[in-house]
Amino acid sequence: MNAIINGEPRRLAPGTTVADVVRSLTSAESGVAVALNDEVVPRTAWASTPVSPDDRVDVLTAVQGG
Amino acid sequence: MTSTVAEEARPDTVEDPLVIAGRTFRSRLIMGTGGAPSLQVLSEALRASGTELTTVAMRRVDPNAQGSVWDVLRQNGISPLPNTAGCFTAVDALRTARLGREALETDWVKLEVVADERTLLPDPVETLDAAERLVDDGFTVLAYTNDDPVLARRLEQVGCAAVMPLGAPIGSGMGIRNPHNIELIVEEAGVPVILDAGIGTASDAALAMELGCDAVLLATAVTRAQDPVLMAHAMREAVSAGRRARLAGRIPVRRYAHASSPARDE
């Protein structure tokens, strides 16, 4: 299936979870947040939240600013 | 060792704390992190500044990034203040704030909703709308705002924990363009007033405190200085000096001389 990960189209295996997507982008244990179709997914729900076809997943972290 | 009177009265000690939403800070200098040449320099500058609260932005993860500003803050024991930089609408700001809360485990947010890229001036309508929504959602909101006393009052009325009027546009280094408005905001405010944006050098930071601001928030003036660490020291001292001057009560300005020595004996 295809999904949009951080703005880029990506092919994902069926059954891929939000936790899988996060692990593919960063090894950071903290300081990371996820939005699935613009809604925040709490860290505790990452492993149990599947990514569906055409979902938009954004994985964000703190960067220099402000 | 006994401390001197001057040391006991040091404004940057717990005897004159900055209190925002019930949280106490020794330092009245809030730092931003944008523009530093490296994380190493940023880390040294933050330490030199004495800051306890520092803003960060939320952006998509870069898988190739080396180190992170989040690590720098944690290593230095500095609390993060996630901002909503880059947001142009209240809806955008709410989404970004929620991501910052989830990532950094704090319900504090620096609300920043700008109107356009050229000036980065706050959009007053969206800012007020966003402030209301964020307060309703349980955030402790520190709102970046224009130097408009009426808007500052409205932001306080909807529940902001601090109002942060600009001195001049972000990154401009033009200092405080309308000191009179800053004074008006300070006179009326029941929450801390933090001068945010426009600071170019130490005297600007001192002036903000002399005008009665409770704290100063700055980034570019330090991070893009030729020697960021030395400028961070300067800002720390300027904020402290300005605060002391405010507490001490300055002399009135006079048009003509007022002799400081007694008249000569006739």
Side-chain angles (χ1 to χ4, degrees), chain A residues 64, chain B residues 33-42 222-226 228:
Chain A
Q64 289 183 50
Chain B
T33 51
S38 71
L39 289 176
Q40 179 62 35
V41 170
L42 177 65
V222 162
T223 58
R224 296 194 201 277
Q226 288 185 24

Side-chain angles (χ1 to χ4, degrees), chain A residues 31-51:
Chain A
V32 176
V34 177
L36 178 62
N37 302 322
D38 290 335
E39 290 294 322
V40 175
V41 183
R43 175 178 297 272
T44 48
W46 287 357
S48 58
T49 304
V51 180

Side-chain angles (χ1 to χ4, degrees), chain B residues 37-61:
Chain B
S38 71
L39 289 176
Q40 179 62 35
V41 170
L42 177 65
S43 182
E44 285 173 35
L46 290 177
R47 271 202 300 279
S49 77
T51 189
E52 295 164 281
L53 184 65
T54 291
T55 67
V56 294
M58 298 303 298
R59 291 293 178 270
R60 286 170 173 165
V61 164

Side-chain angles (χ1 to χ4, degrees), chain B residues 7 9 33 72 93 98 136 139 141 154 161-162 182 211 250 254:
Chain B
E7 273 165 357
T33 51
V72 167
R98 284 175 173 159
D136 283 350
F139 282 93
V141 181
R154 295 289 297 267
I182 299 297
L211 292 172
R250 61 153 299 152
R254 295 169 188 270

Side-chain angles (χ1 to χ4, degrees), chain B residues 64-90:
Chain B
N64 303 314
Q66 300 290 317
S68 80
V69 68
W70 174 231
D71 290 336
V72 167
L73 296 191
R74 283 192 302 175
Q75 283 155 12
N76 289 298
I78 297 169
S79 300
L81 179 59
N83 69 22
T84 62
C87 293
F88 289 84
T89 66

Side-chain angles (χ1 to χ4, degrees), chain B residues 122-137:
Chain B
D123 183 320
V125 177
E126 294 295 325
T127 298
L128 186 60
D129 183 10
E132 212 160 358
R133 293 172 191 236
L134 286 165
V135 169
D136 283 350
D137 205 40

